[in-house]
Amino acid sequence: MHGVQETSRNDELPTEGNAKVTGAAVYTWDTALPRMLHGKLLRSPLPHARIRSIDTTEALAILGVVCIVTGDDVAPLAEQFYGVGLRDQPVIALDRVRFVGDPVAAIVAVDEATAFRAAQAIKVDYEPLPPLMTVEDALADDAPALFDGPTPGIPIPVGKGWSSVADPVRNVLCEYNFGYGDATAILDASDQVFTDTFAVTRINHFHLEPHVNIAHWNDGRLEMWSCNQDPFVIRGDIARIFGLPLHRVRIHTPLVGGGFGGKSYCKMEPLVALMARKAGAPVRLALSMDESILTLVKHPGRLTLTTGVDREGRLTARRADIVLDGGAYSDASALVAVKTGFRVGGGYHWQAIASRARIVRTTTVPSGSFRGFGGTQASFASERQIDLIARRLGEDPLTFRMRNLLDVDQPFAPNERGMDSDLSAGLQDVAERIGYSSKRQQGRGIGFAVGLKDAGGTGNHAQALVRVTQDGEVMVSAAVVDVGQGAASALCRIATDVLGLPLANATYAPIDTDHSPPDNGTHVSCGTLVTGRAIEQAAAEVRKQIETFAAERLDCDVSEIVLEGWTVRRGNVVHPLTPMVRKYYGGIGWEFIGRGAFKEPYDPDTPMGARNISWMPCWSVAEVSVDDETGRVTLHRLIVSADPGRALSREACHGQIEGAAMQALGQAMFEELRYRGAEPENATPLTYRVPKVRDLPAHFESVVAEHGMGFGPGGVKGIGEAGMLGIAAAIANAIQDATGASLTTMPFTPEKVLDALDQLRHVGDVPVVERS
């Protein structure tokens, strides 16, 4: 399936691979506690309504029902809401519901069947309110306000060139403006200016392990097992909501069965903690996959780009108006708005950028972080318009891109870190792989895209601990959650590389906020980059301790010592370390313990308040043909390339690229969480279409393009989100190359393709392009 751009490094088996393959791996789903009770939720059948009353009498009378949590139980909490920056989502509905699926009551019973039966016995008296199912509904002059007062919390703080405001107008959660240069003046002076609008649709993360949490209170202290990606964020949120000091909250995070952003930040955790406290016993709440689909989605939205070009075919300035549907509650919408507005320029040189990104509230499933964090929305719009402009100018899209791409070390924006990938070389490589300059089959079209996002986050931080026993065994402790990306192996590999020990000697410690060093979450492909730096530092400290110990035992200078595996060599004499340590410490022996930490420093002169840690490009090229009678698109070849800087494991990198590319292919071709009126139309695993093996193109090639310029240990960069970025634009560009029809709204269903072909027949479109 994949290949090329191989390095000399030999892959070692992932440390956690055997347990996953044999089914021995333990997830939160597998956890059980003595006397554990089970929860189920009663959810709103209405998109928008006021709750007049909730009658739980009949439900509580059912044998086996222990208690029922409603909004009345939330009122006494220290805080009632959660969200990222802006906090508007109640632990459970208070006096109003805002989407079909909004939790209204939480039942605790001896088993799930009893809890489910009790949920059917609860009587809720609703006063229906007007639903606002679309951005247009929510922004209409006569639209009711979905919230009565200002949103608690603060907008995400940003840096130079930004302005931000919460609740700028009714039903708009927040608005961010970013820019540099005088975009208006430069657009006015440009030789040609193009304006296009693009739309992205709502999709779900569809992780195979649904949201599941177990909470247990003991002597006023909460212990929780959660499949969340952010154990320390959850600890902080729960402490704030329940008015507890941090040390009274303990979070365990076992392996996570997929997340893709859907398990970022607070979700069900405070509610499960409340259920357990009221029940006086451990409580497990495991959502069904149907319920997980109604928990969080990727932002649908509309992006209008106005772009100028000079007479030499060089891009001049871009203005972007981005409107994202945030759904019913804020979740991480503010962050997504910031990132979309920041990334909308793509990997090109601009004299000026002016972007405005708004989050509009609607009565639909809340939107939040999704693999790529606004990068896929921005890349789709940007790369579609780049292609459209090239074709309107009668230029080859490849040549047009090559002329305008950022060079190595060229900053993405003023005061930002320079580009740490060779964007032109990466694009040229995929063009050669697909044979772009060769004669192609009749009816086939080829499309390119260069997706780009910042990686590693801005201002992210992590601490790490590395312990080495007297036998040379390594224990790596950090808070990066393994969501299937192979984080444990990657982080252990960083430590063992520094120590010169085999990967098989290393173990990644279970994540437990009582013992693990903290970080700010498993996001934005920051694991190997941010936490990797901390682990590299911790391992280097351990190595220094070992060398110093050996030098003292051999009565020589440290400079005479060479650490070789679990021995030290002085001159031509090799000394095993195990007997040396045991002889000195005796008994249970000794551990060498190193600590490390990393944080990109705050810098108010940078656009994001701290310099971006690295850049994550994705070079994609697709070859398609289109049946002009049915509108069916056949994807014949798809090549996707990403730069990990230095690959810690080529197999893991290929897996990340290919998984992300297939996820993007789904959104491009057919995937969408649809509403029919106010009702979710396909919010079940049986009706929600995700990519299957048969959707793979005949030729699917991933490329691990090591450009060697990463900021992480040994040049490492994050790669987990890269494969998502350019796929949709590359496919749409290929469709246009094959047919001339322009698609600007995902997914590219046969109906939309036929509509685009009809428009082409009636009004014509861009000129045929001669390829260089």
Side-chain angles (χ1 to χ4, degrees), residues 274-347:
L274 185 58
M275 294 163 73
R277 192 168 77 169
K278 186 167 183 176
V283 171
R284 174 182 189 264
L285 177 64
L287 302 188
S288 65
M289 289 192 73
D290 305 48
E291 290 178 296
S292 279
I293 291 174
L294 292 178
T295 298
L296 196 74
V297 296
K298 182 178 181 177
H299 288 82
R302 186 183 68 246
L303 299 88
T304 300
L305 307 186
T306 299
T307 298
V309 185
D310 67 15
R311 67 187 59 189
E312 283 78 36
R314 296 190 180 278
L315 298 167
T316 57
R318 171 170 283 175
R319 181 184 297 120
D321 184 26
I322 301 161
V323 181
L324 299 176
D325 183 341
Y329 299 110
S330 62
D331 200 88
S333 278
L335 268 177
V336 175
V338 169
K339 292 295 188 178
T340 311
F342 182 59
R343 294 165 176 165
V344 77

Side-chain angles (χ1 to χ4, degrees), residues 135-212:
V135 165
E136 291 71 24
D137 292 344
L139 296 180
D141 291 340
D142 60 349
L146 288 176
F147 288 80
D148 295 330
T151 306
I154 56 171
I156 303 300
V158 280
K160 190 171 185 178
W162 283 92
S163 65
S164 60
V165 59
D167 306 308
V169 297
R170 185 179 58 239
N171 294 332
V172 175
L173 173 70
C174 55
E175 176 179 323
Y176 292 87
N177 288 272
F178 169 67
Y180 58 85
D182 188 340
T184 299
I186 294 172
L187 285 170
D188 288 345
S190 297
D191 292 284
Q192 297 200 62
V193 176
F194 304 92
T195 297
D196 299 285
T197 297
F198 307 90
V200 292
T201 44
R202 178 184 290 107
I203 64 170
N204 178 254
H205 306 74
F206 212 77
H207 33 73
L208 291 181
E209 180 195 31
H211 298 85
V212 54

Side-chain angles (χ1 to χ4, degrees), residues 87-142:
R87 302 192 295 270
D88 63 6
Q89 186 154 5
V91 173
I92 194 167
L94 300 176
D95 60 349
R96 199 164 168 183
V97 292
R98 296 180 174 88
F99 70 100
V100 172
D102 209 348
V104 175
I107 304 94
V108 179
V110 293
D111 54 44
E112 288 187 322
T114 302
F116 186 77
R117 193 162 68 253
Q120 312 312 307
I122 295 174
K123 297 180 175 63
V124 183
D125 183 13
Y126 294 104
E127 175 192 350
L129 298 171
L132 304 175
M133 301 307 297
T134 66
V135 165
E136 291 71 24
D137 292 344
L139 296 180
D141 291 340
D142 60 349

Side-chain angles (χ1 to χ4, degrees), residues 353-428:
I353 287 283
S355 70
R356 178 176 73 155
R358 291 173 289 166
I359 299 292
V360 179
R361 301 177 186 276
T362 61
T363 52
T364 60
V365 179
S367 304
S369 55
F370 194 105
R371 197 175 195 169
F373 236 112
T376 49
Q377 292 97 329
S379 288
F380 171 63
S382 178
E383 285 301 288
R384 271 300 286 136
Q385 197 191 34
I386 291 294
D387 222 74
L388 283 165
I389 291 172
R391 294 174 189 279
R392 287 164 180 152
L393 295 175
E395 273 220 61
D396 182 308
L398 178 65
T399 305
F400 185 73
R401 285 183 171 85
M402 286 291 191
R403 182 186 307 119
N404 287 286
L405 283 170
L406 290 166
D407 297 323
V408 172
D409 291 333
Q410 197 167 4
F412 176 86
N415 302 318
E416 257 297 359
R417 194 182 299 278
M419 188 54 54
D420 57 5
S421 291
D422 189 333
L423 298 180
S424 297
L427 181 58
Q428 185 62 45

